[in-house]
Amino acid sequence: MEQRIGSSSQPLEGAGFDPAFVPGLTSPASGDPEEVKPAAETEPEPEDAAEERDPAPEEPAADAVPDGPVFEASDRRARVVADHRGVRLALDDQECEFRWDEIAAVETETPRFGKRFTVTVHTPDRRWYYLEVEAASRSRFAEWDTALDAVLDAYFEDGQDGRDARDDGPEQAEEAASS
């Protein structure tokens, strides 16, 4: 008696096993494998054509950097930068950027013990984003706090009288606007 090695069942056909079975769902596959070029045989584009088609975006902000204060604190994982553009928080490969018009408040916190300096950015829609930066020594906290205050004084505009009109009720907001 002879035995076959392998499966004796035939491959199934139909939409459940092959999406190309449904017309219009995918482009038709060509039956000739000779028409398909392997990736090694395709001709690379000349570098000049690639540069003409996709020019690199220029950064005008890099040329026109104002001479205002800049705050930067970083450790091996976290980085906080505050300058004329706003506040940028980065942790590992994640980053977020807040323009000055998107910020309601910036808060700093130093722990009683430990060496982590916390910067919290509050947005007008009552959300907050914080980042902890580890300092080499606790004496850096005073330097960072002073530098961040200088940046906030230069670029951040508070509401009237140190309060923001969004925190008041509608009646107080109208009174503040009329006076």
Side-chain angles (χ1 to χ4, degrees):
M1 183 158 114
E2 290 183 28
Q3 291 185 349
R4 290 189 175 195
I5 299 174
S7 174
S8 63
S9 64
Q10 297 296 324
L12 298 174
E13 291 185 13
F17 300 98
D18 183 14
F21 188 77
V22 179
L25 195 62
T26 60
S27 61
S30 106
D32 298 329
E34 298 168 3
E35 292 179 11
V36 179
K37 291 183 181 179
E41 293 180 13
T42 57
E43 297 177 16
E45 291 184 33
E47 291 180 13
D48 297 336
E51 289 177 4
E52 290 175 8
R53 193 178 29 163
D54 188 22
E58 296 179 14
E59 293 186 21
D63 297 335
V65 175
D67 293 332
V70 175
F71 167 74
E72 184 170 350
S74 63
D75 63 6
R76 60 187 168 81
R77 294 184 62 202
R79 182 172 176 222
V80 178
V81 178
D83 58 7
H84 68 283
R85 293 179 12 207
V87 178
R88 289 177 298 287
L89 307 175
L91 179 65
D92 295 332
D93 63 340
Q94 302 295 315
E95 292 185 25
C96 60
E97 182 173 351
F98 302 95
R99 295 185 320 264
W100 289 114
D101 61 343
E102 297 174 327
I103 298 174
V106 177
E107 177 183 14
T108 61
E109 183 181 347
T110 56
R112 185 171 178 190
F113 302 107
K115 297 187 285 187
R116 292 192 180 267
F117 183 74
T118 304
V119 176
T120 306
V121 176
H122 296 269
T123 60
D125 59 349
R126 307 231 187 262
R127 294 181 185 260
W128 64 90
Y129 304 89
Y130 71 94
L131 187 69
E132 293 179 340
V133 180
E134 189 170 342
S137 68
R138 290 186 54 85
S139 62
R140 294 292 307 243
F141 292 162
E143 296 172 26
W144 286 347
D145 218 12
T146 304
L148 183 59
D149 282 343
V151 171
L152 293 175
D153 289 342
Y155 302 116
F156 184 66
E157 295 180 11
D158 268 341
Q160 337 165 343
D161 302 326
R163 295 183 328 176
D164 200 354
R166 290 183 296 265
D167 295 339
D168 298 332
E171 295 84 18
Q172 290 87 3
E174 288 178 15
E175 290 174 9
S178 65
S179 56

